[in-house]
Amino acid sequence: MSDHQREHHQHDATGHAHDHAHDHATAHAPGHGHGHGHGREGLISRVWHAVTPHSHDSVGRTDAALEGSARGLRVLAVSFAVLMTTAAIQAVIVVLSGSVALLGDTLHNLADALTAVPLAIAFSVGRRAATRRFTYGYGRAEDLAGIVIVLIIAASAVLAGYEAVTRLVEPQPVRALGWVAGAAVTGFLGNEWVARYRITVGRQIGSAALVADGLHARTDGFTSLAVLLGAGGAALGFPLADPIVGLLITVAILFVLRDAAREIYHRLMDAVDPALVDQAEAVLRAVSGVERVGSVRLRWIGHALHAEVDILVRHDLTMVDAHAVAVRAEHRLIHDLPRLRAATVHTDPLGPAGADHHAALSTHRHPHHS
């Protein structure tokens, strides 16, 4: 390889089969036939398919990003059913008791259930294959759905605060306090279960939007607790307990809003955990033939991680040998970094001291190039 020869290597995952004899190609192919019908199948049928047991060939591996989308759709379908059931139970008690607080909580739970709709659409859109216009695919749809969810959390905070202030100014008598307390507990348990389910799976598949949706469910659980405490205060002869606790819960919702907004903001700004960068560098340094690790850039696209890395190899390697080093580097990255779907590996020759193999690009150099 001459001083000015350098290789840009983007080893597409579908080409792994000829380099690695372990059925690895199916695991990373961006558009393999998963049997889920990405294009014309309707959203409802896709959600139904996600919650219906189905099998895969035991020889090939399921594409990680598509499997993550399927798990996300399954979570949304189950949580939608749980929250709609919870809201229906509470609605019956609202009619019996006339509780304004419980009415607000019921509306919150209904709104939380409905946040599953934009997120389910995003998961479905994200499963489409990349095109010549959307060359990285449609994974960013999840982040757009996350913005909608953050706005819904903000609206919940405003509504909860408004209701609390209204009840302070005009206290409302409540009937059937025991039933109201039971409905509040039902609301809390339903929301907390859904929150844990969404947050756990969202973190496992790397979906910031699903985590934000889980945090929103948790805010509605807090609102349910406010209804419970307010009912208890009214039973003890202190009717202002409900609106006072409602204001405190509004503050708690604002803190959750801050966390959810920060997570979506980081994802939109291509922020990653610095520990992932450290891990990627350690993996690359351990690859045979890598003399030095250059820049490492990671980004989330939906719930799939993508990498662009620079490595330095000996300057006297042939192009074939340098390519082999790049393949080994990508192979190790995809195996060792969680949820990494694709990696672009760029090799540079490590030549004599002072040699600049990028001299022709010096006037166009980006800040991340050394």
Side-chain angles (χ1 to χ4, degrees), residues 39-180:
R40 301 173 183 174
E41 190 175 0
L43 174 61
I44 295 177
S45 61
R46 269 180 274 187
V47 172
W48 174 254
H49 181 76
V51 299
T52 304
H54 54 289
S55 61
H56 298 276
D57 188 351
S58 60
V59 177
R61 293 184 181 180
T62 306
D63 179 270
L66 290 177
E67 180 62 24
S69 296
R71 290 187 67 191
L73 285 170
R74 188 177 302 117
V75 170
L76 293 174
V78 173
S79 59
F80 179 82
V82 171
L83 289 176
M84 289 299 289
T85 301
T86 300
I89 293 173
Q90 290 183 312
V92 173
I93 308 302
V94 167
V95 174
L96 295 176
S97 66
S99 171
V100 176
L102 186 58
L103 173 62
D105 189 41
T106 303
L107 293 175
H108 291 164
N109 287 328
L110 180 62
D112 188 30
L114 294 178
T115 61
V117 175
L119 196 49
I121 294 173
F123 275 125
S124 297
V125 171
R127 298 171 73 181
R128 295 179 181 176
T131 66
R132 292 183 63 83
R133 180 178 295 276
F134 297 96
T135 55
Y136 279 94
Y138 294 82
R140 290 288 189 187
E142 287 184 37
D143 300 326
L144 296 178
I147 295 175
V148 175
I149 292 168
V150 167
L151 292 176
I152 292 176
I153 297 176
S156 297
V158 172
L159 181 58
Y162 173 79
E163 290 177 349
V165 172
T166 300
R167 289 197 298 272
L168 276 173
V169 176
E170 300 178 2
Q172 297 290 331
V174 180
R175 303 180 301 274
L177 291 176
W179 285 101
V180 172

Side-chain angles (χ1 to χ4, degrees), residues 271-286:
V272 297
D273 185 350
L276 280 176
V277 180
D278 295 338
Q279 184 179 354
E281 290 174 340
V283 169
L284 291 170
R285 282 193 292 266

Side-chain angles (χ1 to χ4, degrees), residues 19 40 96 103 107 130 137 157 170 211 244 270 286 302-303 339 352 362:
D19 293 305
R40 301 173 183 174
L96 295 176
L103 173 62
L107 293 175
E170 300 178 2
V211 171
I244 290 174
D270 285 334
H303 50 268
R339 295 187 295 275
S362 59

Side-chain angles (χ1 to χ4, degrees), residues 284 292-297 308-312 346 348 369:
L284 291 170
R292 191 184 305 167
V293 178
S295 63
V296 174
R297 295 174 294 280
E308 297 178 14
V309 303
D310 295 338
I311 58 174
L312 282 79
H346 165 218
D348 270 325
H369 283 168

